[in-house]
Amino acid sequence: MKSIQISFQVLIVVFFLFGCNSDVKIKKIEKPNQYITVLGIAQDAGFPQIDCKKECCNAFYTNKEPKKLISCLGLVDLKNQKKWLFDATPDITQQLQHLKTQHLDTGNVIDGVFLTHAHMGHYTGLMYFGFEALGGNNIPVYAMPRMKTYLQENGPWSQLVAFNNIELKKLQKDSTIVLNTALKVTPVLVPHRDEFSETVGYIITGNNKTALFIPDINKWHKWEKDIVAEVKKVDYAFLDASFFKDGELKRDMSKIPHPFTTETTTLFENESIKTKNKIHFIHFNHTNPTIKNTHPLRDSIQKLGFRFAREGDVFGL
């Protein structure tokens, strides 16, 4: 069965009108009990990016392309009235508000945050839980050992711990965290530029569906696991698409390794449409042309069977 994918920004309503005296019948799709929602798709520096004078960001300033929030997933459990974030981005204020108004408002800002690593787009949103902002109260933050130590021993993050704004929860690779009877989360180590912490992706498991989230990785062949095999195990795979191809930047791109979109599509070119459909590209640099809502390259990749994560998308678990 084709995976259910719903946008809750708009409720689907069908009207059947037969004459002026007819009743209006309304049909709407019910929300799944547990689901993932996409809260951002851009690389760490966002879209538009600072001091960018290129056509890509000019499209935003000339109202041709909307702002893109930084890569982030929300996990929502309507049955148990809980919600979690995967990564704390600089856009966390907007993302938490969207999670509250469009998905679940329990009066609790968030029930936990799972961090992937210590690069600016993935953890710096924690600052908004602090003394100068929310003044949070023991918000659970799940982190790998090096990430946990980094937050404990370096300011300003250490103040979040000292003031009990956050409560650090230690993760171990491949060790599953059971959130409740319906949801489980497992961190998986991936190779990346680990200056301050290790880097993980996450396997998010529900009663019916499973998702893989890897917003950052150096190259697929550097990983001890086979990405093709890992995608086949899950129902949804949110994969790093920072850059479209080599030469995209006027920098030595070997020093900022990511799997190019073209490399990923080549790896999966002989796989079935069913497998390709599982892949939802995410974490786009502003220079990647497929960050745009419409672009010929994006269209051509979609025709091959691959998909692109969009803010507001929902994936039932």
Side-chain angles (χ1 to χ4, degrees), residues 143-150 152 170-173 198:
M144 292 291 287
R146 282 187 64 203
M147 182 84 234
K148 181 174 180 285
T149 299
Y150 176 73
Q152 289 172 321
K170 188 176 180 179
L171 296 174
Q172 294 289 347
K173 71 171 185 174
E198 59 277 272

Side-chain angles (χ1 to χ4, degrees), residues 105-124:
D105 181 8
T106 62
N108 188 21
V109 65
I110 198 71
D111 293 292
V113 180
F114 287 86
L115 300 178
T116 58
H117 64 300
H119 283 164
M120 62 173 280
H122 301 266
Y123 80 103
T124 58

Side-chain angles (χ1 to χ4, degrees), residues 145-162 168 196:
R146 282 187 64 203
M147 182 84 234
K148 181 174 180 285
T149 299
Y150 176 73
L151 294 173
Q152 289 172 321
E153 297 182 356
N154 294 276
W157 322 109
S158 55
Q159 182 171 286
L160 296 170
V161 179
L168 294 175
F196 303 116

Side-chain angles (χ1 to χ4, degrees), residues 54-74:
K54 300 177 181 178
E55 184 278 330
C56 53
C57 292
N58 189 54
F60 166 77
Y61 296 115
T62 55
N63 298 314
K64 295 177 183 176
E65 196 71 26
K67 176 181 172 64
K68 306 293 194 298
L69 301 183
I70 296 169
S71 175
C72 178
L73 297 183

